[in-house]
Amino acid sequence: MLINTLNSFVFKYIRFIEMLGVLMRIFSFSLVSWMGSESPFLFVWAFNTTDAVILSWCSILKKDSAYTLLNVFWIMVGIIGMLRASQISAIDFKSAWLHLITQIMALVS
């Protein structure tokens, strides 16, 4: 029920929400272009991933498979970028993921 309400809201204001996502993407890439290696990369990746979620949602509602694929790809790239920017090692990530799965299984059973 909540997802239907959210979808209705997004669809009603889709032009505004899409423009917000596009402006967010322009801002995040402009920040990296202007600041170079001094960029706050974790913030940029989080911001860029958020706009990818917004744009993915809009493209899914519009049934635009090309932009859905493109923006879902950017979500995956953003997650990897955030992990790298936060300097989490692969071993730490695997350990945290395993711990999360263990906790979820304990709740389910």
Side-chain angles (χ1 to χ4, degrees):
M1 185 73 174
L2 177 63
I3 195 71
N4 291 336
T5 304
L6 289 172
N7 283 341
S8 295
F9 177 82
V10 170
F11 202 72
K12 182 176 180 180
Y13 299 104
I14 199 159
R15 291 176 55 97
F16 172 78
I17 293 170
E18 272 184 313
M19 183 60 72
L20 178 66
V22 168
L23 291 173
M24 289 172 68
R25 183 154 305 165
I26 290 169
F27 173 77
S28 64
F29 282 110
S30 297
L31 190 63
V32 171
S33 296
W34 289 330
M35 295 182 72
S37 62
E38 300 298 317
S39 297
F41 284 107
L42 183 57
F43 168 77
V44 170
W45 280 117
F47 204 70
N48 192 40
T49 304
T50 302
D51 78 58
V53 169
I54 290 169
L55 293 172
S56 295
W57 195 340
C58 290
S59 59
I60 289 168
L61 290 178
K62 291 171 70 174
K63 297 178 178 24
D64 189 334
S65 58
Y67 282 107
T68 300
L69 177 62
L70 177 65
N71 287 301
V72 169
F73 168 76
W74 273 111
I75 292 170
M76 293 184 292
V77 169
I79 291 169
I80 292 167
M82 286 188 288
L83 290 172
R84 294 198 64 203
S86 63
Q87 299 180 356
I88 295 175
S89 72
I91 294 170
D92 291 339
F93 179 71
K94 288 177 186 176
S95 174
W97 187 250
L98 182 60
H99 181 71
L100 176 66
I101 291 172
T102 305
Q103 293 298 319
I104 290 171
M105 293 306 289
L107 287 173
V108 173
S109 60

